[in-house]
Amino acid sequence: MSSNVSLSKAELVAAIGVTAGATAVGLLLLQHFSKGSGVKPKVNFDLQKDNPKVVHAFDIEDLGDKAVYCRCWRSKKFPYCDGAHAKHNQETGDNVGPLIMKRKEA
């Protein structure tokens, strides 16, 4: 009788493993084939989602000597860069970096 319990557990583990593997393969295939479908992934996951368009405008005179702006949309200080692109790049293989604006020295 104990062999039936062990067999049942083994079957359960196998079923979970097959299901997880099939799900992973399905997600990879979906990601691969959606690239050519014209559907583009979003970059803004959570910033100002109640606005139809996120726009920031700055006067050059107000920038000071240097300003560093986020381009990965992951910064906790958005629109300013906090270095979040480093983790984003490591996780995704992307190569995005900040926009750096400096006052030209005369």
Side-chain angles (χ1 to χ4, degrees):
M1 186 161 191
S2 65
S3 64
N4 288 338
V5 173
S6 295
L7 184 59
S8 175
K9 287 180 183 179
E11 289 173 344
L12 179 62
V13 168
I16 291 171
V18 168
T19 302
T23 302
V25 169
L27 289 172
L28 289 172
L29 288 172
L30 178 65
Q31 182 181 19
H32 174 73
F33 287 113
S34 68
K35 287 181 181 176
S37 68
V39 176
K40 302 282 184 178
K42 292 185 178 185
V43 293
N44 180 9
F45 295 116
D46 57 359
L47 296 169
Q48 299 180 18
K49 295 305 280 184
D50 54 330
N51 291 337
K53 186 189 306 184
V54 179
V55 176
H56 294 90
F58 302 94
D59 291 328
I60 293 293
E61 296 80 20
D62 296 337
L63 291 181
D65 292 333
K66 179 179 174 183
V68 183
Y69 296 102
C70 175
R71 293 193 306 169
C72 73
W73 289 81
R74 306 300 186 273
S75 175
K76 299 289 186 214
K77 299 185 329 182
F78 193 86
Y80 301 104
C81 177
D82 68 357
H85 58 273
K87 181 179 178 188
H88 164 78
N89 289 345
Q90 185 178 27
E91 290 176 347
T92 64
D94 206 351
N95 65 349
V96 69
L99 168 65
I100 300 173
M101 299 180 72
K102 293 192 256 183
R103 187 174 302 279
K104 192 172 187 177
E105 295 182 27

